[in-house]
Amino acid sequence: MQKKSRRARPSRTARKPAGPPRRNAFYAQSGGVSAVINASACGVIETAMKHPRHIGKLYAGRHGIIGALTEDLIDVSRESAATIRGLKTTPAGAFGSARFKLKGIEQNRAEYERLIEVFRAHDIGYFFYNGGNDSMDTALKVSQIGESLGYPITCVGVPKTVDNDLPITDCCPGFGSVAKYVAVSTREAALDVASMARTSTKVFVLEVMGRHAGWIAAAGGLAGLKPQDPPHLILFPEIPFEKQKFLDRVKQCVTDYGYCVIVVSEGAAYPDGKFLADAGTKDAFGHTQLGGVGPMVANMVREAHGYKYHWAVADYLQRAARHIASQVDVEHAYAVGKAAVELAVKGINAVMPTIVRKSSKPYRWTIGHAPLSEIANVEKKLPRNYITEDGFGITQECRRYLLPLIGGEAYPPYKDGLPDYVHIKGVPVKRKLTTDFKV
Amino acid sequence: MQKKSRRARPSRTARKPAGPPRRNAFYAQSGGVSAVINASACGVIETAMKHPRHIGKLYAGRHGIIGALTEDLIDVSRESAATIRGLKTTPAGAFGSARFKLKGIEQNRAEYERLIEVFRAHDIGYFFYNGGNDSMDTALKVSQIGESLGYPITCVGVPKTVDNDLPITDCCPGFGSVAKYVAVSTREAALDVASMARTSTKVFVLEVMGRHAGWIAAAGGLAGLKPQDPPHLILFPEIPFEKQKFLDRVKQCVTDYGYCVIVVSEGAAYPDGKFLADAGTKDAFGHTQLGGVGPMVANMVREAHGYKYHWAVADYLQRAARHIASQVDVEHAYAVGKAAVELAVKGINAVMPTIVRKSSKPYRWTIGHAPLSEIANVEKKLPRNYITEDGFGITQECRRYLLPLIGGEAYPPYKDGLPDYVHIKGVPVKRKLTTDFKV
């Protein structure tokens, strides 16, 4: 009997097996999205369906935790198998994400009581939260409501952040693909600049994400193989920006190579900690400057040396670029989603699956897990030995770390020349509460 | 005998066949580069090697026409067959391009006399010039030196421009790939914004190239299929920008869909013709504003409505993006290079191969040719019936025109997670002149 029910698909009418009671599960996407967060969703959903003894229905929050607070739940079982499979090749947050950080239980008990009210109404016993630093903090808080508010729940974080700044895990799903995008784009744009430099653009600046950690900027360094290859200079948040030293290096590059390619992290900052982008510059109407750090650095170079410049700001293009996703990253993303469910059905609470590197060359990895309490609110910056002594490049150690993460191409399917991304139907679960909740 | 020599590889010692004398050829890349200009180079080179009866050596100008003026010629025969083949999958200008427009023969006879001096020294009888509008003007002028200065030369232009603004030809090699990049990127970034809009970014602006014609901006319109799909608004250079009308539409979009995605051409302009990017804004030090039209439009929206925004400026990333090149575009690019040589060896002077569309669905095309005199300095703008009546979108006619051009994926080979682009050795041809020429 038990064997049979293990193979049955989840259904509200299935007879409950012996053992821990079957309960429903909640999955939500949180924070800035990535090219592969939906691949994690796919891992969670497909694996949950393989555990009908423990997991009944799987509900997704529409726009993350907000969907839970407002009882706006999506019935994942109403999506076709093709749509679920298609999540693996679709960027951004198919269920909607949110930037919403729960306060501590002491500070805002009402939010937690509301969560419990919604969870109880829908018999939710599993909570999967797919996000980065802040999100793991939220997941940790939710994992504690069993103990502090008497509502039993198994809460597992699913790592996701293009910033690659979560501790313990070797890397974060989402990062490998943005790293690949930045490395590829830097290599391509650099070829363009090299072609034109004789009579036109001599300096090119690419602004990339990473407000506090330079992992994404470092990935730009993969574009070159030899010391003279572009990018010639990388500006990391971890290295205080020294204007004169930088300008001297730009001039040297143009003299030596005819051009200079610069990758700058949005988090590049002066020695006093002030962001370069926070230059306090105003436009003619007294409004704060429009540009980011990319145009600001390009302009700095032009003022000092008069070189013709171009700049690009990749912004969302870099983290949504599923068309050039890393195969390894997609596999990581799926694997942590799968592992999260497997941990949860074993009753392991307040953890997050991690990527464990077993070797770099050849690249071998496995999945581990770590307590949320050791992950929440800890930020992993680029180690100093990953940055060259002069502060403008990446070392061989860094290259050895990064290279496996951009490995392999995981092209999405195309239709009429465009990636054929899926859209969920998003059928809402019938509400059971009559109360509303303002977020 | 004749048959045998037709099959022989070009060689300085090969006996000359009867017929027009065999002469050397010059190839140069000109103006802004693209993802597929090297595919045209590949077409020229591989085809020239098939015509040893007419074409002896093929020399490439290092940095375009400047290479001819300074007698800095690259011996293409010193490149391996693998490198030549690899040009088909390598973006930007492998031989170096230049922004350099020859003046008229009357205004700067010295430049033409210098060209003839170099051509004569190296027995150059064929001139292949790979570029856009300005370049076809240069090619036309060079084609006239036979008649006006008594130096016999066969001159054929090879079309290349991401701007897609050459007349007569149905489209321009280089455009299809940038169009594909912009359509894909718009679709991807729009999914990101849609995920986040509930609590974060509501307006996203993508700035694309096209200073005078809105072809590239129009390609962003391919990202959506239904009227409510993003991009919600496109700002074309062809449609005078009306600020209030635009701001009203942005607000309507955010109200109706929760967010608004905008694609803006760098050439978007006010009714008086002034570029939006030329807003005369200054930073705190009195310098001209740093940003382009993307950040400027985003800021305009924030000031009017207070929406949280993001913006991206793709800049060189878009035109160098060989990783997402259109298969059709690559085929066009190769075909015009091949056709240029075939026209030249027939002795047809002062022409440019064109792409002739035979049907849109299914897409069928062939190669024609047109006189350079009808192409040089004529700019093909987006026809009014390609833009919706309200001026903010593309019509079905436009979609029917654009869609075939982004068809098919022509992925480059990868090595260690990165595209494996080729680099030429660039062996210089031994100089024969003792005079220098300042450009």
Side-chain angles (χ1 to χ4, degrees), chain A residues 163-176:
Chain A
D163 291 334
N164 202 41
D165 59 355
L166 291 173
I168 307 179
T169 185
D170 179 68
C171 63
C172 304
F175 170 67

Side-chain angles (χ1 to χ4, degrees), chain A residues 109-129:
Chain A
R109 203 181 170 93
E111 276 175 359
Y112 293 88
E113 283 168 351
R114 173 64 178 183
L115 277 183
I116 290 174
E117 188 184 21
V118 174
F119 289 170
R120 185 169 281 135
H122 295 277
D123 191 24
I124 288 167
Y126 299 97
F127 180 88
F128 300 108
Y129 207 49

Side-chain angles (χ1 to χ4, degrees), chain A residues 33-279:
Chain A
V33 293
S34 80
V36 301
I37 180 172
N38 287 332
S40 288
C42 180
V44 167
I45 297 164
E46 291 187 346
T47 311
M49 287 169 66
K50 288 182 183 149
H51 290 275
R53 280 179 55 205
H54 298 95
I55 299 177
K57 284 271 196 178
L58 176 63
Y59 301 134
R62 201 184 309 273
H63 290 293
I65 193 80
I66 288 177
L69 290 167
T70 59
E71 205 195 352
D72 190 358
L73 306 176
I74 294 166
D75 187 347
V76 175
S77 72
R78 301 291 292 274
E79 306 298 335
S80 71
T83 299
I84 301 301
R85 208 166 41 241
L87 290 174
K88 210 168 170 179
T89 51
T90 297
F95 300 97
S97 188
R99 291 205 183 280
F100 188 87
K101 195 171 174 173
L102 286 185
K103 294 202 184 71
I105 295 179
E106 300 317 309
Q107 293 136 276
N108 197 344
R109 203 181 170 93
E111 276 175 359
Y112 293 88
E113 283 168 351
R114 173 64 178 183
L115 277 183
I116 290 174
E117 188 184 21
V118 174
F119 289 170
R120 185 169 281 135
H122 295 277
D123 191 24
I124 288 167
Y126 299 97
F127 180 88
F128 300 108
Y129 207 49
N130 203 171
N133 247 302
D134 285 356
S135 311
M136 291 308 126
D137 179 68
T138 296
L140 176 62
K141 285 166 180 157
V142 172
S143 75
Q144 295 161 343
I145 61 176
E147 211 167 303
S148 55
L149 299 174
Y151 181 81
I153 194 159
T154 305
C155 175
V156 180
V158 185
K160 173 279 324 169
T161 168
V162 296
D163 291 334
N164 202 41
D165 59 355
L166 291 173
I168 307 179
T169 185
D170 179 68
C171 63
C172 304
F175 170 67
S177 294
V178 77
K180 190 177 184 98
Y181 174 93
V182 168
V184 170
S185 298
T186 302
R187 176 170 285 186
E188 290 180 334
L191 286 175
D192 192 311
V193 186
S195 311
M196 305 302 296
R198 177 76 166 77
T199 53
S200 181
T201 303
K202 296 222 173 354
V203 172
F204 176 74
V205 182
L206 172 61
E207 175 183 326
V208 300
M209 287 180 158
R211 189 138 282 243
H212 302 295
W215 295 103
I216 298 176
L222 294 175
L225 298 173
K226 295 180 293 263
Q228 67 271 30
D229 286 350
H232 305 102
L233 300 169
I234 303 174
L235 302 179
F236 299 99
E238 288 86 354
I239 304 292
F241 179 73
E242 295 173 59
K243 186 172 172 176
Q244 198 52 51
K245 188 177 160 196
F246 165 71
L247 289 171
D248 291 348
R249 286 292 300 271
V250 173
K251 193 169 190 180
Q252 194 62 51
C253 276
V254 174
T255 305
D256 292 349
Y257 314 127
Y259 67 109
C260 183
V261 172
I262 301 156
V263 175
V264 57
S265 167
E266 60 177 341
Y270 289 103
D272 66 0
K274 203 173 79 169
F275 287 129
L276 265 68
D278 251 7

Side-chain angles (χ1 to χ4, degrees), chain A residues 93 97 99 187-188 192 195 199 201 282-283 287 290 299 303 310 313 315-316 319 323-324 419 421, chain B residues 93 97 99 187-188 192 195 199 201 282-283 287 290 299 303 310 313 315-316 319 323-324 414 419 421:
Chain A
S97 188
R99 291 205 183 280
R187 176 170 285 186
E188 290 180 334
D192 192 311
S195 311
T199 53
T201 303
K282 306 273 184 194
D283 66 18
H287 306 130
L290 312 176
N299 207 52
E303 278 171 19
H310 264 244
V313 176
D315 195 62
Y316 284 170
R319 73 180 197 193
H323 74 272
I324 188 68
Y421 295 136
Chain B
S97 188
R99 291 206 182 278
R187 176 170 286 187
E188 291 180 332
D192 193 312
S195 312
T199 55
T201 302
K282 307 275 185 191
D283 66 19
H287 305 131
L290 311 176
N299 206 52
E303 278 169 21
H310 264 245
V313 176
D315 194 62
Y316 284 172
R319 74 180 196 193
H323 74 271
I324 188 66
Y414 276 71
Y421 295 138

Side-chain angles (χ1 to χ4, degrees), chain B residues 73-336:
Chain B
L73 306 176
I74 294 167
D75 187 347
V76 176
S77 71
R78 301 290 293 272
E79 306 298 334
S80 71
T83 299
I84 301 301
R85 207 166 41 241
L87 290 174
K88 208 166 170 181
T89 52
T90 298
F95 300 96
S97 188
R99 291 206 182 278
F100 188 88
K101 194 172 176 176
L102 288 183
K103 295 202 183 70
I105 295 180
E106 302 316 310
Q107 293 136 274
N108 197 346
R109 202 179 170 96
E111 277 176 356
Y112 294 88
E113 282 168 352
R114 172 63 178 184
L115 278 183
I116 291 174
E117 190 184 19
V118 173
F119 289 170
R120 186 168 281 135
H122 295 277
D123 191 24
I124 288 166
Y126 299 98
F127 180 88
F128 300 108
Y129 207 49
N130 203 170
N133 247 304
D134 284 355
S135 311
M136 291 307 127
D137 179 68
T138 296
L140 177 61
K141 285 168 181 158
V142 171
S143 75
Q144 294 161 344
I145 60 176
E147 211 167 303
S148 56
L149 299 173
Y151 181 82
I153 195 157
T154 305
C155 176
V156 180
V158 184
K160 174 278 323 171
T161 168
V162 296
D163 292 333
N164 203 40
D165 60 354
L166 289 173
I168 306 178
T169 186
D170 179 67
C171 63
C172 303
F175 171 67
S177 293
V178 77
K180 189 176 185 98
Y181 173 94
V182 168
V184 170
S185 298
T186 302
R187 176 170 286 187
E188 291 180 332
L191 286 174
D192 193 312
V193 186
S195 312
M196 305 302 297
R198 178 74 165 79
T199 55
S200 182
T201 302
K202 295 222 172 359
V203 173
F204 176 75
V205 182
L206 172 61
E207 174 183 326
V208 300
M209 287 180 158
R211 190 137 281 244
H212 303 294
W215 294 102
I216 298 177
L222 295 176
L225 297 173
K226 296 179 293 262
Q228 68 272 31
D229 287 349
H232 306 102
L233 300 169
I234 303 174
L235 302 179
F236 300 98
E238 287 85 355
I239 303 291
F241 178 73
E242 294 173 60
K243 186 171 171 174
Q244 198 50 53
K245 188 176 159 197
F246 165 71
L247 289 171
D248 291 348
R249 285 293 300 270
V250 173
K251 193 169 189 179
Q252 194 61 52
C253 275
V254 174
T255 305
D256 292 349
Y257 314 126
Y259 68 109
C260 181
V261 173
I262 301 156
V263 175
V264 57
S265 167
E266 59 177 342
Y270 289 103
D272 65 1
K274 203 173 78 168
F275 288 128
L276 265 67
D278 252 4
T281 50
K282 307 275 185 191
D283 66 19
F285 310 99
H287 305 131
T288 305
Q289 72 157 29
L290 311 176
V293 65
M296 134 67 95
V297 165
N299 206 52
M300 194 185 278
V301 170
R302 195 205 47 161
E303 278 169 21
H305 304 311
Y307 299 136
K308 185 169 188 305
Y309 66 74
H310 264 245
W311 52 267
V313 176
D315 194 62
Y316 284 172
L317 270 50
Q318 70 199 285
R319 74 180 196 193
R322 183 61 186 77
H323 74 271
I324 188 66
S326 143
Q327 174 68 41
V328 164
D329 192 33
V330 173
E331 287 168 13
H332 284 166
Y334 187 91
V336 293

